[in-house]
PDB file of all heavy atoms in Angstrom:
ATOM      1  N   ALA A   1       4.038 -27.782 -30.525  1.00  0.00           N
ATOM      2  CA  ALA A   1       4.545 -26.494 -30.048  1.00  0.00           C
ATOM      3  C   ALA A   1       5.606 -26.700 -28.970  1.00  0.00           C
ATOM      4  O   ALA A   1       6.661 -26.067 -28.993  1.00  0.00           O
ATOM      5  CB  ALA A   1       3.400 -25.639 -29.509  1.00  0.00           C
ATOM      6  N   GLN A   2       5.351 -27.603 -28.034  1.00  0.00           N
ATOM      7  CA  GLN A   2       6.314 -27.866 -26.956  1.00  0.00           C
ATOM      8  C   GLN A   2       7.598 -28.474 -27.511  1.00  0.00           C
ATOM      9  O   GLN A   2       8.703 -28.117 -27.086  1.00  0.00           O
ATOM     10  CB  GLN A   2       5.705 -28.797 -25.912  1.00  0.00           C
ATOM     11  CG  GLN A   2       6.605 -29.020 -24.701  1.00  0.00           C
ATOM     12  CD  GLN A   2       6.948 -27.743 -23.970  1.00  0.00           C
ATOM     13  OE1 GLN A   2       6.068 -27.086 -23.421  1.00  0.00           O
ATOM     14  NE2 GLN A   2       8.223 -27.363 -23.957  1.00  0.00           N
ATOM     15  N   GLN A   3       7.459 -29.383 -28.471  1.00  0.00           N
ATOM     16  CA  GLN A   3       8.645 -29.987 -29.093  1.00  0.00           C
ATOM     17  C   GLN A   3       9.477 -28.922 -29.808  1.00  0.00           C
ATOM     18  O   GLN A   3      10.708 -28.955 -29.760  1.00  0.00           O
ATOM     19  CB  GLN A   3       8.217 -31.071 -30.073  1.00  0.00           C
ATOM     20  CG  GLN A   3       7.618 -32.302 -29.410  1.00  0.00           C
ATOM     21  CD  GLN A   3       7.032 -33.288 -30.410  1.00  0.00           C
ATOM     22  OE1 GLN A   3       6.788 -32.945 -31.583  1.00  0.00           O
ATOM     23  NE2 GLN A   3       6.806 -34.521 -29.983  1.00  0.00           N
ATOM     24  N   THR A   4       8.810 -27.975 -30.443  1.00  0.00           N
ATOM     25  CA  THR A   4       9.525 -26.921 -31.159  1.00  0.00           C
ATOM     26  C   THR A   4      10.200 -25.961 -30.186  1.00  0.00           C
ATOM     27  O   THR A   4      11.304 -25.464 -30.452  1.00  0.00           O
ATOM     28  CB  THR A   4       8.560 -26.158 -32.088  1.00  0.00           C
ATOM     29  OG1 THR A   4       7.884 -27.097 -32.936  1.00  0.00           O
ATOM     30  CG2 THR A   4       9.303 -25.159 -32.963  1.00  0.00           C
ATOM     31  N   ILE A   5       9.556 -25.686 -29.049  1.00  0.00           N
ATOM     32  CA  ILE A   5      10.193 -24.870 -28.010  1.00  0.00           C
ATOM     33  C   ILE A   5      11.473 -25.536 -27.531  1.00  0.00           C
ATOM     34  O   ILE A   5      12.525 -24.902 -27.392  1.00  0.00           O
ATOM     35  CB  ILE A   5       9.225 -24.650 -26.829  1.00  0.00           C
ATOM     36  CG1 ILE A   5       8.091 -23.710 -27.231  1.00  0.00           C
ATOM     37  CG2 ILE A   5       9.976 -24.083 -25.615  1.00  0.00           C
ATOM     38  CD1 ILE A   5       6.993 -23.596 -26.191  1.00  0.00           C
ATOM     39  N   ASP A   6      11.390 -26.851 -27.264  1.00  0.00           N
ATOM     40  CA  ASP A   6      12.566 -27.590 -26.795  1.00  0.00           C
ATOM     41  C   ASP A   6      13.696 -27.515 -27.826  1.00  0.00           C
ATOM     42  O   ASP A   6      14.869 -27.338 -27.474  1.00  0.00           O
ATOM     43  CB  ASP A   6      12.195 -29.048 -26.527  1.00  0.00           C
ATOM     44  CG  ASP A   6      11.226 -29.193 -25.357  1.00  0.00           C
ATOM     45  OD1 ASP A   6      11.128 -28.245 -24.549  1.00  0.00           O
ATOM     46  OD2 ASP A   6      10.559 -30.239 -25.272  1.00  0.00           O
ATOM     47  N   ALA A   7      13.333 -27.661 -29.113  1.00  0.00           N
ATOM     48  CA  ALA A   7      14.352 -27.606 -30.164  1.00  0.00           C
ATOM     49  C   ALA A   7      14.968 -26.211 -30.253  1.00  0.00           C
ATOM     50  O   ALA A   7      16.171 -26.060 -30.466  1.00  0.00           O
ATOM     51  CB  ALA A   7      13.731 -27.992 -31.508  1.00  0.00           C
ATOM     52  N   ALA A   8      14.142 -25.168 -30.075  1.00  0.00           N
ATOM     53  CA  ALA A   8      14.654 -23.795 -30.124  1.00  0.00           C
ATOM     54  C   ALA A   8      15.641 -23.538 -28.989  1.00  0.00           C
ATOM     55  O   ALA A   8      16.662 -22.872 -29.169  1.00  0.00           O
ATOM     56  CB  ALA A   8      13.498 -22.802 -30.050  1.00  0.00           C
ATOM     57  N   LEU A   9      15.345 -24.101 -27.822  1.00  0.00           N
ATOM     58  CA  LEU A   9      16.233 -23.913 -26.674  1.00  0.00           C
ATOM     59  C   LEU A   9      17.539 -24.692 -26.820  1.00  0.00           C
ATOM     60  O   LEU A   9      18.537 -24.346 -26.182  1.00  0.00           O
ATOM     61  CB  LEU A   9      15.510 -24.336 -25.386  1.00  0.00           C
ATOM     62  CG  LEU A   9      14.380 -23.411 -24.940  1.00  0.00           C
ATOM     63  CD1 LEU A   9      13.589 -24.035 -23.806  1.00  0.00           C
ATOM     64  CD2 LEU A   9      14.943 -22.053 -24.519  1.00  0.00           C
ATOM     65  N   GLU A  10      17.529 -25.725 -27.654  1.00  0.00           N
ATOM     66  CA  GLU A  10      18.753 -26.494 -27.897  1.00  0.00           C
ATOM     67  C   GLU A  10      19.556 -25.949 -29.064  1.00  0.00           C
ATOM     68  O   GLU A  10      20.660 -26.419 -29.339  1.00  0.00           O
ATOM     69  CB  GLU A  10      18.390 -27.961 -28.177  1.00  0.00           C
ATOM     70  CG  GLU A  10      17.896 -28.723 -26.952  1.00  0.00           C
ATOM     71  CD  GLU A  10      18.961 -28.773 -25.853  1.00  0.00           C
ATOM     72  OE1 GLU A  10      20.143 -29.024 -26.178  1.00  0.00           O
ATOM     73  OE2 GLU A  10      18.609 -28.537 -24.686  1.00  0.00           O
ATOM     74  N   SER A  11      19.019 -24.952 -29.748  1.00  0.00           N
ATOM     75  CA  SER A  11      19.704 -24.380 -30.903  1.00  0.00           C
ATOM     76  C   SER A  11      20.835 -23.453 -30.458  1.00  0.00           C
ATOM     77  O   SER A  11      20.974 -23.159 -29.260  1.00  0.00           O
ATOM     78  CB  SER A  11      18.700 -23.579 -31.744  1.00  0.00           C
ATOM     79  OG  SER A  11      18.400 -22.348 -31.092  1.00  0.00           O
ATOM     80  N   PRO A  12      21.651 -22.963 -31.396  1.00  0.00           N
ATOM     81  CA  PRO A  12      22.713 -22.011 -31.036  1.00  0.00           C
ATOM     82  C   PRO A  12      22.207 -20.729 -30.391  1.00  0.00           C
ATOM     83  O   PRO A  12      23.011 -19.940 -29.896  1.00  0.00           O
ATOM     84  CB  PRO A  12      23.395 -21.737 -32.383  1.00  0.00           C
ATOM     85  CG  PRO A  12      23.162 -22.978 -33.177  1.00  0.00           C
ATOM     86  CD  PRO A  12      21.769 -23.408 -32.794  1.00  0.00           C
ATOM     87  N   ALA A  13      20.909 -20.499 -30.404  1.00  0.00           N
ATOM     88  CA  ALA A  13      20.359 -19.300 -29.759  1.00  0.00           C
ATOM     89  C   ALA A  13      20.723 -19.248 -28.278  1.00  0.00           C
ATOM     90  O   ALA A  13      20.822 -18.158 -27.697  1.00  0.00           O
ATOM     91  CB  ALA A  13      18.838 -19.275 -29.914  1.00  0.00           C
ATOM     92  N   ARG A  14      20.933 -20.408 -27.667  1.00  0.00           N
ATOM     93  CA  ARG A  14      21.230 -20.436 -26.235  1.00  0.00           C
ATOM     94  C   ARG A  14      22.575 -19.786 -25.904  1.00  0.00           C
ATOM     95  O   ARG A  14      22.851 -19.486 -24.741  1.00  0.00           O
ATOM     96  CB  ARG A  14      21.205 -21.875 -25.722  1.00  0.00           C
ATOM     97  CG  ARG A  14      22.319 -22.758 -26.235  1.00  0.00           C
ATOM     98  CD  ARG A  14      22.162 -24.188 -25.754  1.00  0.00           C
ATOM     99  NE  ARG A  14      23.297 -25.034 -26.107  1.00  0.00           N
ATOM    100  CZ  ARG A  14      23.439 -25.638 -27.276  1.00  0.00           C
ATOM    101  NH1 ARG A  14      22.528 -25.477 -28.213  1.00  0.00           N
ATOM    102  NH2 ARG A  14      24.508 -26.387 -27.521  1.00  0.00           N
ATOM    103  N   LYS A  15      23.410 -19.550 -26.937  1.00  0.00           N
ATOM    104  CA  LYS A  15      24.734 -18.971 -26.712  1.00  0.00           C
ATOM    105  C   LYS A  15      24.728 -17.442 -26.768  1.00  0.00           C
ATOM    106  O   LYS A  15      25.744 -16.816 -26.490  1.00  0.00           O
ATOM    107  CB  LYS A  15      25.716 -19.513 -27.747  1.00  0.00           C
ATOM    108  CG  LYS A  15      25.873 -21.029 -27.717  1.00  0.00           C
ATOM    109  CD  LYS A  15      26.821 -21.503 -28.805  1.00  0.00           C
ATOM    110  CE  LYS A  15      26.936 -23.027 -28.804  1.00  0.00           C
ATOM    111  NZ  LYS A  15      27.839 -23.500 -29.889  1.00  0.00           N
ATOM    112  N   THR A  16      23.599 -16.842 -27.158  1.00  0.00           N
ATOM    113  CA  THR A  16      23.504 -15.392 -27.308  1.00  0.00           C
ATOM    114  C   THR A  16      22.378 -14.865 -26.445  1.00  0.00           C
ATOM    115  O   THR A  16      21.239 -15.337 -26.542  1.00  0.00           O
ATOM    116  CB  THR A  16      23.241 -15.018 -28.784  1.00  0.00           C
ATOM    117  OG1 THR A  16      24.223 -15.633 -29.611  1.00  0.00           O
ATOM    118  CG2 THR A  16      23.278 -13.516 -28.975  1.00  0.00           C
ATOM    119  N   LYS A  17      22.664 -13.874 -25.604  1.00  0.00           N
ATOM    120  CA  LYS A  17      21.675 -13.384 -24.647  1.00  0.00           C
ATOM    121  C   LYS A  17      20.388 -12.926 -25.315  1.00  0.00           C
ATOM    122  O   LYS A  17      19.290 -13.322 -24.907  1.00  0.00           O
ATOM    123  CB  LYS A  17      22.258 -12.235 -23.827  1.00  0.00           C
ATOM    124  CG  LYS A  17      23.343 -12.620 -22.855  1.00  0.00           C
ATOM    125  CD  LYS A  17      23.632 -11.483 -21.885  1.00  0.00           C
ATOM    126  CE  LYS A  17      24.074 -10.223 -22.588  1.00  0.00           C
ATOM    127  NZ  LYS A  17      24.402  -9.143 -21.640  1.00  0.00           N
ATOM    128  N   GLY A  18      20.510 -12.079 -26.321  1.00  0.00           N
ATOM    129  CA  GLY A  18      19.315 -11.542 -26.960  1.00  0.00           C
ATOM    130  C   GLY A  18      18.478 -12.610 -27.624  1.00  0.00           C
ATOM    131  O   GLY A  18      17.251 -12.617 -27.498  1.00  0.00           O
ATOM    132  N   SER A  19      19.142 -13.519 -28.343  1.00  0.00           N
ATOM    133  CA  SER A  19      18.410 -14.591 -29.028  1.00  0.00           C
ATOM    134  C   SER A  19      17.749 -15.538 -28.037  1.00  0.00           C
ATOM    135  O   SER A  19      16.609 -15.971 -28.240  1.00  0.00           O
ATOM    136  CB  SER A  19      19.362 -15.370 -29.945  1.00  0.00           C
ATOM    137  OG  SER A  19      19.870 -14.550 -30.961  1.00  0.00           O
ATOM    138  N   LEU A  20      18.451 -15.848 -26.951  1.00  0.00           N
ATOM    139  CA  LEU A  20      17.881 -16.738 -25.944  1.00  0.00           C
ATOM    140  C   LEU A  20      16.683 -16.089 -25.260  1.00  0.00           C
ATOM    141  O   LEU A  20      15.661 -16.743 -25.024  1.00  0.00           O
ATOM    142  CB  LEU A  20      18.944 -17.118 -24.914  1.00  0.00           C
ATOM    143  CG  LEU A  20      18.495 -18.082 -23.804  1.00  0.00           C
ATOM    144  CD1 LEU A  20      17.923 -19.365 -24.398  1.00  0.00           C
ATOM    145  CD2 LEU A  20      19.655 -18.396 -22.870  1.00  0.00           C
ATOM    146  N   ALA A  21      16.787 -14.794 -24.958  1.00  0.00           N
ATOM    147  CA  ALA A  21      15.653 -14.086 -24.341  1.00  0.00           C
ATOM    148  C   ALA A  21      14.459 -14.071 -25.288  1.00  0.00           C
ATOM    149  O   ALA A  21      13.304 -14.202 -24.858  1.00  0.00           O
ATOM    150  CB  ALA A  21      16.063 -12.661 -23.962  1.00  0.00           C
ATOM    151  N   GLN A  22      14.735 -13.915 -26.593  1.00  0.00           N
ATOM    152  CA  GLN A  22      13.640 -13.933 -27.570  1.00  0.00           C
ATOM    153  C   GLN A  22      12.952 -15.293 -27.589  1.00  0.00           C
ATOM    154  O   GLN A  22      11.720 -15.375 -27.656  1.00  0.00           O
ATOM    155  CB  GLN A  22      14.175 -13.588 -28.965  1.00  0.00           C
ATOM    156  CG  GLN A  22      13.087 -13.570 -30.028  1.00  0.00           C
ATOM    157  CD  GLN A  22      13.578 -13.185 -31.409  1.00  0.00           C
ATOM    158  OE1 GLN A  22      12.818 -13.241 -32.371  1.00  0.00           O
ATOM    159  NE2 GLN A  22      14.842 -12.791 -31.523  1.00  0.00           N
ATOM    160  N   VAL A  23      13.748 -16.365 -27.527  1.00  0.00           N
ATOM    161  CA  VAL A  23      13.166 -17.707 -27.494  1.00  0.00           C
ATOM    162  C   VAL A  23      12.283 -17.869 -26.258  1.00  0.00           C
ATOM    163  O   VAL A  23      11.163 -18.385 -26.348  1.00  0.00           O
ATOM    164  CB  VAL A  23      14.280 -18.776 -27.514  1.00  0.00           C
ATOM    165  CG1 VAL A  23      13.691 -20.162 -27.225  1.00  0.00           C
ATOM    166  CG2 VAL A  23      14.984 -18.787 -28.868  1.00  0.00           C
ATOM    167  N   HIS A  24      12.767 -17.417 -25.104  1.00  0.00           N
ATOM    168  CA  HIS A  24      11.963 -17.553 -23.883  1.00  0.00           C
ATOM    169  C   HIS A  24      10.683 -16.722 -23.963  1.00  0.00           C
ATOM    170  O   HIS A  24       9.616 -17.172 -23.521  1.00  0.00           O
ATOM    171  CB  HIS A  24      12.780 -17.132 -22.664  1.00  0.00           C
ATOM    172  CG  HIS A  24      13.743 -18.180 -22.194  1.00  0.00           C
ATOM    173  ND1 HIS A  24      13.329 -19.447 -21.842  1.00  0.00           N
ATOM    174  CD2 HIS A  24      15.095 -18.155 -22.007  1.00  0.00           C
ATOM    175  CE1 HIS A  24      14.374 -20.157 -21.453  1.00  0.00           C
ATOM    176  NE2 HIS A  24      15.451 -19.398 -21.560  1.00  0.00           N
ATOM    177  N   TYR A  25      10.783 -15.522 -24.532  1.00  0.00           N
ATOM    178  CA  TYR A  25       9.578 -14.685 -24.652  1.00  0.00           C
ATOM    179  C   TYR A  25       8.524 -15.377 -25.513  1.00  0.00           C
ATOM    180  O   TYR A  25       7.355 -15.489 -25.123  1.00  0.00           O
ATOM    181  CB  TYR A  25       9.935 -13.326 -25.266  1.00  0.00           C
ATOM    182  CG  TYR A  25       8.729 -12.463 -25.546  1.00  0.00           C
ATOM    183  CD1 TYR A  25       8.107 -11.746 -24.525  1.00  0.00           C
ATOM    184  CD2 TYR A  25       8.193 -12.379 -26.835  1.00  0.00           C
ATOM    185  CE1 TYR A  25       6.980 -10.968 -24.783  1.00  0.00           C
ATOM    186  CE2 TYR A  25       7.079 -11.598 -27.095  1.00  0.00           C
ATOM    187  CZ  TYR A  25       6.486 -10.894 -26.070  1.00  0.00           C
ATOM    188  OH  TYR A  25       5.361 -10.132 -26.322  1.00  0.00           O
ATOM    189  N   LYS A  26       8.933 -15.868 -26.673  1.00  0.00           N
ATOM    190  CA  LYS A  26       7.974 -16.498 -27.577  1.00  0.00           C
ATOM    191  C   LYS A  26       7.504 -17.839 -27.041  1.00  0.00           C
ATOM    192  O   LYS A  26       6.372 -18.255 -27.300  1.00  0.00           O
ATOM    193  CB  LYS A  26       8.584 -16.625 -28.971  1.00  0.00           C
ATOM    194  CG  LYS A  26       8.782 -15.259 -29.626  1.00  0.00           C
ATOM    195  CD  LYS A  26       9.432 -15.347 -30.990  1.00  0.00           C
ATOM    196  CE  LYS A  26       9.572 -13.959 -31.602  1.00  0.00           C
ATOM    197  NZ  LYS A  26      10.252 -13.985 -32.916  1.00  0.00           N
ATOM    198  N   ALA A  27       8.364 -18.517 -26.284  1.00  0.00           N
ATOM    199  CA  ALA A  27       7.933 -19.752 -25.619  1.00  0.00           C
ATOM    200  C   ALA A  27       6.853 -19.434 -24.595  1.00  0.00           C
ATOM    201  O   ALA A  27       5.853 -20.162 -24.472  1.00  0.00           O
ATOM    202  CB  ALA A  27       9.118 -20.428 -24.941  1.00  0.00           C
ATOM    203  N   GLY A  28       7.042 -18.332 -23.857  1.00  0.00           N
ATOM    204  CA  GLY A  28       6.032 -17.925 -22.887  1.00  0.00           C
ATOM    205  C   GLY A  28       4.708 -17.602 -23.545  1.00  0.00           C
ATOM    206  O   GLY A  28       3.639 -18.026 -23.076  1.00  0.00           O
ATOM    207  N   ILE A  29       4.749 -16.860 -24.657  1.00  0.00           N
ATOM    208  CA  ILE A  29       3.525 -16.535 -25.387  1.00  0.00           C
ATOM    209  C   ILE A  29       2.861 -17.811 -25.899  1.00  0.00           C
ATOM    210  O   ILE A  29       1.634 -17.964 -25.851  1.00  0.00           O
ATOM    211  CB  ILE A  29       3.834 -15.596 -26.562  1.00  0.00           C
ATOM    212  CG1 ILE A  29       4.389 -14.263 -26.061  1.00  0.00           C
ATOM    213  CG2 ILE A  29       2.580 -15.352 -27.393  1.00  0.00           C
ATOM    214  CD1 ILE A  29       3.431 -13.463 -25.228  1.00  0.00           C
ATOM    215  N   SER A  30       3.687 -18.749 -26.393  1.00  0.00           N
ATOM    216  CA  SER A  30       3.147 -20.022 -26.894  1.00  0.00           C
ATOM    217  C   SER A  30       2.389 -20.764 -25.807  1.00  0.00           C
ATOM    218  O   SER A  30       1.286 -21.283 -26.028  1.00  0.00           O
ATOM    219  CB  SER A  30       4.289 -20.902 -27.421  1.00  0.00           C
ATOM    220  OG  SER A  30       5.015 -20.250 -28.437  1.00  0.00           O
ATOM    221  N   LEU A  31       2.976 -20.817 -24.606  1.00  0.00           N
ATOM    222  CA  LEU A  31       2.329 -21.545 -23.512  1.00  0.00           C
ATOM    223  C   LEU A  31       1.083 -20.819 -23.009  1.00  0.00           C
ATOM    224  O   LEU A  31       0.139 -21.468 -22.546  1.00  0.00           O
ATOM    225  CB  LEU A  31       3.333 -21.757 -22.378  1.00  0.00           C
ATOM    226  CG  LEU A  31       4.514 -22.677 -22.747  1.00  0.00           C
ATOM    227  CD1 LEU A  31       5.443 -22.862 -21.559  1.00  0.00           C
ATOM    228  CD2 LEU A  31       4.018 -24.031 -23.259  1.00  0.00           C
ATOM    229  N   LEU A  32       1.062 -19.497 -23.119  1.00  0.00           N
ATOM    230  CA  LEU A  32      -0.173 -18.781 -22.783  1.00  0.00           C
ATOM    231  C   LEU A  32      -1.284 -19.160 -23.750  1.00  0.00           C
ATOM    232  O   LEU A  32      -2.447 -19.284 -23.352  1.00  0.00           O
ATOM    233  CB  LEU A  32       0.053 -17.265 -22.818  1.00  0.00           C
ATOM    234  CG  LEU A  32       0.854 -16.655 -21.680  1.00  0.00           C
ATOM    235  CD1 LEU A  32       0.939 -15.137 -21.845  1.00  0.00           C
ATOM    236  CD2 LEU A  32       0.222 -16.991 -20.324  1.00  0.00           C
ATOM    237  N   GLU A  33      -0.923 -19.337 -25.030  1.00  0.00           N
ATOM    238  CA  GLU A  33      -1.913 -19.789 -26.017  1.00  0.00           C
ATOM    239  C   GLU A  33      -2.507 -21.132 -25.612  1.00  0.00           C
ATOM    240  O   GLU A  33      -3.669 -21.416 -25.899  1.00  0.00           O
ATOM    241  CB  GLU A  33      -1.262 -19.913 -27.399  1.00  0.00           C
ATOM    242  CG  GLU A  33      -0.867 -18.608 -28.051  1.00  0.00           C
ATOM    243  CD  GLU A  33      -2.033 -17.917 -28.752  1.00  0.00           C
ATOM    244  OE1 GLU A  33      -3.171 -18.439 -28.674  1.00  0.00           O
ATOM    245  OE2 GLU A  33      -1.811 -16.861 -29.363  1.00  0.00           O
ATOM    246  N   LEU A  34      -1.683 -21.943 -24.931  1.00  0.00           N
ATOM    247  CA  LEU A  34      -2.115 -23.289 -24.525  1.00  0.00           C
ATOM    248  C   LEU A  34      -2.620 -23.327 -23.091  1.00  0.00           C
ATOM    249  O   LEU A  34      -2.842 -24.391 -22.526  1.00  0.00           O
ATOM    250  CB  LEU A  34      -0.940 -24.261 -24.686  1.00  0.00           C
ATOM    251  CG  LEU A  34      -0.376 -24.389 -26.113  1.00  0.00           C
ATOM    252  CD1 LEU A  34       0.908 -25.197 -26.105  1.00  0.00           C
ATOM    253  CD2 LEU A  34      -1.415 -25.016 -27.036  1.00  0.00           C
ATOM    254  N   SER A  35      -2.773 -22.121 -22.481  1.00  0.00           N
ATOM    255  CA  SER A  35      -3.293 -21.978 -21.106  1.00  0.00           C
ATOM    256  C   SER A  35      -2.379 -22.601 -20.051  1.00  0.00           C
ATOM    257  O   SER A  35      -2.838 -22.978 -18.969  1.00  0.00           O
ATOM    258  CB  SER A  35      -4.705 -22.585 -20.996  1.00  0.00           C
ATOM    259  OG  SER A  35      -5.599 -21.909 -21.855  1.00  0.00           O
ATOM    260  N   ASP A  36      -1.089 -22.716 -20.367  1.00  0.00           N
ATOM    261  CA  ASP A  36      -0.103 -23.198 -19.399  1.00  0.00           C
ATOM    262  C   ASP A  36       0.544 -21.972 -18.748  1.00  0.00           C
ATOM    263  O   ASP A  36       1.652 -21.568 -19.109  1.00  0.00           O
ATOM    264  CB  ASP A  36       0.940 -24.067 -20.100  1.00  0.00           C
ATOM    265  CG  ASP A  36       1.970 -24.644 -19.120  1.00  0.00           C
ATOM    266  OD1 ASP A  36       1.908 -24.321 -17.915  1.00  0.00           O
ATOM    267  OD2 ASP A  36       2.851 -25.405 -19.576  1.00  0.00           O
ATOM    268  N   HIS A  37      -0.141 -21.391 -17.783  1.00  0.00           N
ATOM    269  CA  HIS A  37       0.319 -20.130 -17.203  1.00  0.00           C
ATOM    270  C   HIS A  37       1.593 -20.306 -16.375  1.00  0.00           C
ATOM    271  O   HIS A  37       2.470 -19.421 -16.381  1.00  0.00           O
ATOM    272  CB  HIS A  37      -0.796 -19.532 -16.342  1.00  0.00           C
ATOM    273  CG  HIS A  37      -2.042 -19.241 -17.110  1.00  0.00           C
ATOM    274  ND1 HIS A  37      -2.153 -18.181 -17.965  1.00  0.00           N
ATOM    275  CD2 HIS A  37      -3.245 -19.901 -17.174  1.00  0.00           C
ATOM    276  CE1 HIS A  37      -3.362 -18.174 -18.524  1.00  0.00           C
ATOM    277  NE2 HIS A  37      -4.038 -19.204 -18.064  1.00  0.00           N
ATOM    278  N   ARG A  38       1.716 -21.420 -15.676  1.00  0.00           N
ATOM    279  CA  ARG A  38       2.917 -21.640 -14.864  1.00  0.00           C
ATOM    280  C   ARG A  38       4.143 -21.794 -15.755  1.00  0.00           C
ATOM    281  O   ARG A  38       5.196 -21.193 -15.488  1.00  0.00           O
ATOM    282  CB  ARG A  38       2.741 -22.876 -13.984  1.00  0.00           C
ATOM    283  CG  ARG A  38       3.973 -23.194 -13.135  1.00  0.00           C
ATOM    284  CD  ARG A  38       3.699 -24.309 -12.161  1.00  0.00           C
ATOM    285  NE  ARG A  38       2.696 -23.918 -11.169  1.00  0.00           N
ATOM    286  CZ  ARG A  38       2.271 -24.723 -10.196  1.00  0.00           C
ATOM    287  NH1 ARG A  38       2.754 -25.957 -10.091  1.00  0.00           N
ATOM    288  NH2 ARG A  38       1.364 -24.308  -9.344  1.00  0.00           N
ATOM    289  N   GLY A  39       4.013 -22.582 -16.820  1.00  0.00           N
ATOM    290  CA  GLY A  39       5.134 -22.751 -17.741  1.00  0.00           C
ATOM    291  C   GLY A  39       5.497 -21.445 -18.416  1.00  0.00           C
ATOM    292  O   GLY A  39       6.675 -21.133 -18.604  1.00  0.00           O
ATOM    293  N   ALA A  40       4.485 -20.651 -18.773  1.00  0.00           N
ATOM    294  CA  ALA A  40       4.735 -19.361 -19.406  1.00  0.00           C
ATOM    295  C   ALA A  40       5.497 -18.437 -18.463  1.00  0.00           C
ATOM    296  O   ALA A  40       6.448 -17.759 -18.866  1.00  0.00           O
ATOM    297  CB  ALA A  40       3.407 -18.722 -19.823  1.00  0.00           C
ATOM    298  N   GLU A  41       5.094 -18.409 -17.195  1.00  0.00           N
ATOM    299  CA  GLU A  41       5.763 -17.551 -16.222  1.00  0.00           C
ATOM    300  C   GLU A  41       7.235 -17.930 -16.076  1.00  0.00           C
ATOM    301  O   GLU A  41       8.109 -17.050 -15.946  1.00  0.00           O
ATOM    302  CB  GLU A  41       5.065 -17.642 -14.874  1.00  0.00           C
ATOM    303  CG  GLU A  41       5.643 -16.706 -13.827  1.00  0.00           C
ATOM    304  CD  GLU A  41       4.874 -16.730 -12.526  1.00  0.00           C
ATOM    305  OE1 GLU A  41       3.924 -17.537 -12.394  1.00  0.00           O
ATOM    306  OE2 GLU A  41       5.216 -15.938 -11.626  1.00  0.00           O
ATOM    307  N   GLU A  42       7.525 -19.219 -16.109  1.00  0.00           N
ATOM    308  CA  GLU A  42       8.918 -19.667 -15.998  1.00  0.00           C
ATOM    309  C   GLU A  42       9.756 -19.139 -17.164  1.00  0.00           C
ATOM    310  O   GLU A  42      10.887 -18.674 -16.979  1.00  0.00           O
ATOM    311  CB  GLU A  42       8.964 -21.190 -15.954  1.00  0.00           C
ATOM    312  CG  GLU A  42       8.400 -21.791 -14.666  1.00  0.00           C
ATOM    313  CD  GLU A  42       8.415 -23.305 -14.689  1.00  0.00           C
ATOM    314  OE1 GLU A  42       8.870 -23.883 -15.721  1.00  0.00           O
ATOM    315  OE2 GLU A  42       7.979 -23.928 -13.698  1.00  0.00           O
ATOM    316  N   HIS A  43       9.199 -19.184 -18.377  1.00  0.00           N
ATOM    317  CA  HIS A  43       9.940 -18.702 -19.540  1.00  0.00           C
ATOM    318  C   HIS A  43      10.121 -17.181 -19.490  1.00  0.00           C
ATOM    319  O   HIS A  43      11.202 -16.668 -19.804  1.00  0.00           O
ATOM    320  CB  HIS A  43       9.235 -19.119 -20.833  1.00  0.00           C
ATOM    321  CG  HIS A  43       9.524 -20.533 -21.238  1.00  0.00           C
ATOM    322  ND1 HIS A  43      10.760 -20.942 -21.691  1.00  0.00           N
ATOM    323  CD2 HIS A  43       8.722 -21.637 -21.250  1.00  0.00           C
ATOM    324  CE1 HIS A  43      10.713 -22.240 -21.972  1.00  0.00           C
ATOM    325  NE2 HIS A  43       9.492 -22.682 -21.712  1.00  0.00           N
TER     326      HIS A  43
END
């Protein structure tokens, strides 16, 4: 999951505000699933 988050952040999504915000939102939800609350808050 973390490797896929990193790949998503390196994708062309980082060039578009809406797409990048979507990646951060889903990354945050992913880290909540893994009980990484600090990492989720950052995203």
Side-chain angles (χ1 to χ4, degrees):
Q2 185 59 64
Q3 291 172 344
T4 306
I5 289 172
D6 293 341
L9 290 170
E10 289 299 316
S11 75
R14 68 184 186 276
K15 300 178 182 179
T16 307
K17 291 193 301 182
S19 297
L20 181 56
Q22 181 178 174
V23 170
H24 281 303
Y25 174 79
K26 292 178 179 178
I29 297 296
S30 302
L31 294 181
L32 287 182
E33 291 278 3
L34 300 171
S35 299
D36 182 357
H37 300 285
R38 178 173 295 180
E41 184 176 4
E42 291 178 0
H43 279 290

